[in-house]
């Protein structure tokens, strides 16, 4: 062996030793403690997320440069965050994962700089970014440098918004300023029992307000997926959660300059008749049904991915494929609050519509809405301002848009749910539709109140006027006769008509007025 080879051998052995130490982490005991909490390590999580063997790590040997508080003696490689890229179903995805075994995953200056670099790389490459969050917030020992690191992350989250998909997976604690980065991303996934998000923890809450609450009760997975709407979904384990993250990524384009990936050679015939719909949707306007059963009939193989399923359940937002093409579906849900629009439903729908529009995902809207939810609480909490978010989102959307009125569509809620008047490209209706300012019962009470009051038999007069109003103004073809819907279709042909309409709209192009950005209602 030559001197050169001998020198390289020693250096390569040293490199292998250092890399192995960085990959193994601080100690086997630290790994056991992580597993004892029901949590995987950062690298185990990355292995589940990405295609096998595809991960390429960057800055695995990075260390902090902080002094004081004993930090000089503790300078582990990676500085508590694993960063790099790999593939999901063959397409590039960038990922960073906090390593709770190192400084509790807390963010310091070097830790933040690694994340900044990866976010810049993802934006430059035009590829999705997934963060696997399991950190204790800012590294207190590094002071304001750690806080500045968060500022850099927030700035990059905002810059990447609407340009590349950003997904946050909450796998442990996320407190203080750290919680704002997930809130700025497109989707937030969480794990029951292990993930918590809050701005101020239970101790601070008790000290300031006197309220006693656990970490889970304050910011657990179910709290944020059902009550606050911060999280889009909650899972019982990390494996099923990361499997759904992979599925979500398979439905999304890599960036805003691309179309979502199609599936060639779909086995579900586009002209499949939907006979079951005649049994699923009652003709009576007040009877309930689950609109997710309608969606399952329409989409390819009945497969769709609902987001925010547990929050604002009176509106359903889901991603699916129709004839192999990805679509975003927004649907009123008669099984929850009769499908009325309220503040939460409006905000949920608006956010989903904006996401689909940003990433070139066509929109299908299934309408069965009795109106906006009345009440003092809704009005005082800003239903006008916050309900207008959904209206703004639809009016601003330039992707292909097709709406279908399944049954009732009353008042302003009908207008908001992607009606022809706010820009739907194709507006369709089933023969059970009732498109009107309000239901016949309410309208008759208003329009004919004097005649009803003066009649010898007010109740009989009221029934007569209801039928008269329904016959003249609420019959299924009134809107079609006036060009407010393009066609009244057989429900069994809904899948076929939607697929053909979206195929026609594939090359839709809209020129928007030049502006810096709009000013949507907040």
């Amino acid at each position: 062996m030559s001197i050169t080879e001998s020198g390289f051998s020693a250096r390569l052995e040293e490199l292998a030793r250092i890399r192995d130490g960085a990959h193994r982490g601080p100690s086997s005991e630290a790994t056991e403690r992580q597993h004892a909490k029901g949590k995987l390590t950062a690298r185990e999580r990355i292995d589940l997320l990405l295609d096998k063997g595809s991960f390429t790590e960057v800055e695995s040997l990075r260390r902090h440069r902080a002094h004081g508080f004993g930090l000089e003696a503790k300078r582990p490689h990676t500085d508590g965050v694993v960063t790099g890229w790999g593939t999901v179903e063959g397409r590039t995805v960038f990922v960073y994962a906090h390593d709770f075994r190192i400084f509790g995953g807390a963010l310091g200056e070097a830790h933040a700089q690694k994340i900044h670099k990866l976010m810049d790389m993802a934006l430059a490459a035009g590829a999705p970014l997934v963060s696997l969050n399991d950190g204790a917030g800012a590294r207190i020992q590094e002071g304001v440098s750690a806080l500045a690191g968060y500022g850099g992350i927030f700035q990059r989250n905002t810059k990447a918004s609407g340009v590349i998909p950003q997904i946050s997976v909450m796998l442990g604690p996320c407190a203080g300023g750290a919680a704002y980065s997930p809130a700025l991303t497109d989707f937030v996934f969480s794990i029951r029992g292990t993930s918590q998000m809050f701005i101020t923890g239970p101790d601070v809450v008790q000290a300031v307000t006197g309220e006693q609450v656990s970490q889970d009760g304050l910011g657990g997975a179910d709290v944020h997926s059902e009550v606050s709407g911060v999280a889009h979904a909650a899972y019982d384990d990390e494996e099923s959660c990361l499997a759904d993250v992979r599925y979500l990524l398979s439905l999304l384009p890599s960036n805003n300059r691309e179309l979502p990936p199609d599936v060639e050679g779909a086995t579900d015939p586009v002209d499949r008749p939907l006979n079951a719909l005649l049994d699923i949707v009652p003709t009576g306007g007040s009877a309930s049904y689950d609109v997710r059963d309608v969606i399952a009939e329409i989409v390819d193989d009945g497969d769709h991915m609902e987001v925010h399923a547990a929050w604002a359940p009176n509106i359903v937002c889901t991603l699916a494929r129709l004839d192999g093409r990805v679509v975003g579906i927004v649907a009123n849900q008669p099984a929850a609050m009769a499908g009325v629009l309220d503040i939460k439903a409006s905000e949920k729908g608006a956010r989903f519509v904006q996401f689909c529009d940003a990433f070139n995902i066509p929109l299908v809207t299934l309408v069965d809405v009795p109106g906006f939810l009345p009440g003092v609480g809704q009005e005082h909490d800003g239903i006008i301002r916050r309900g207008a978010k959904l209206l703004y989102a639809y009016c601003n959307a330039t992707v292909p848009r097709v709406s279908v009125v399944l049954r009732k569509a009353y008042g302003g809620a009908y207008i908001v749910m992607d009606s022809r008047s706010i820009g739907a490209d194709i507006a369709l209706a089933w023969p059970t539709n009732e498109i009107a300012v309000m239901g016949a019962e309410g309208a008759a009470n208003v329009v004919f109140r004097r005649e009803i009051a003066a009649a010898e038999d007010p109740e009989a007069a009221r029934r007569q006027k209801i039928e008269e109003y329904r016959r003249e103004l609420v019959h299924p073809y009134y809107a079609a006769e006036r060009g407010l819907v393009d066609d009244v279709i057989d429900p069994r042909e809904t899948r076929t008509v939607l697929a053909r309409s979206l195929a026609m709209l594939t090359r839709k192009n809209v020129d928007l007025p030049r502006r810096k950005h709009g000013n949507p209602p907040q």
Side-chain angles (χ1 to χ4, degrees), residues 185-340:
T185 61
D186 299 305
F187 294 96
V188 178
F189 291 76
S190 57
I191 309 296
R192 294 184 179 94
T194 57
S195 63
Q196 298 94 28
M197 298 173 67
F198 36 71
I199 299 301
T200 53
D203 293 342
V204 176
V205 169
Q206 183 175 0
V208 175
T209 70
E211 298 171 291
Q212 290 187 334
V213 64
S214 66
Q215 288 195 346
D216 257 356
L218 182 62
D222 286 326
V223 168
H224 286 309
S225 63
E226 298 175 12
V227 181
S228 72
V230 171
H232 290 74
Y235 296 83
D236 292 324
D237 58 81
E238 298 187 13
E239 291 82 357
S240 59
C241 175
L242 293 171
D244 265 9
V245 174
R246 283 181 57 89
Y247 179 47
L248 174 61
L249 286 165
S250 75
L251 295 170
L252 304 181
S254 293
N255 56 66
N256 66 338
R257 299 182 300 277
E258 298 181 5
L259 295 175
D262 290 345
V263 171
E264 299 295 334
T267 57
D268 194 355
V270 69
D271 57 354
R272 168 172 52 84
L274 310 183
N275 296 314
L277 291 183
L278 303 183
D279 297 320
I280 292 172
V281 180
T283 55
S286 60
S288 178
Y289 67 94
D290 191 336
V291 78
R292 289 172 295 190
D293 294 335
V294 176
I295 294 169
E297 283 294 311
I298 291 172
V299 302
D300 292 354
D301 303 308
D303 195 14
H304 62 101
M305 184 172 188
E306 187 176 354
V307 298
H308 271 146
W311 183 65
N314 43 322
I315 195 167
V316 172
C317 299
T318 191
L319 292 165
R321 282 193 167 88
L322 184 57
D323 194 24
R325 294 185 178 91
V326 177
V327 296
I329 299 174
V330 180
N332 305 115
Q333 174 58 294
M337 299 171 60
V340 296

Side-chain angles (χ1 to χ4, degrees), residues 431-479:
T432 48
N433 82 83
E434 292 184 359
I435 301 175
V437 174
M438 63 177 68
E441 291 83 359
N445 289 337
V446 173
V447 176
F448 305 111
R449 63 183 181 275
R450 291 180 180 175
E451 292 94 323
I452 293 172
E456 291 183 7
D457 186 347
E459 184 56 33
R462 179 177 176 275
R463 289 195 299 269
Q464 178 186 346
K465 293 301 182 183
I466 289 172
E467 182 57 34
E468 181 181 330
Y469 185 88
R470 181 177 285 118
R471 185 174 59 252
E472 294 296 326
L473 297 175
V474 192
H475 66 77
Y477 306 102
Y478 184 87

Side-chain angles (χ1 to χ4, degrees), residues 323 325 400 402 497-508:
D323 194 24
R325 294 185 178 91
V402 182
V497 177
L498 285 175
R500 289 176 178 173
S501 299
L502 292 171
M504 176 273 294
L505 292 165
T506 298
R507 300 185 183 278
K508 177 186 175 183

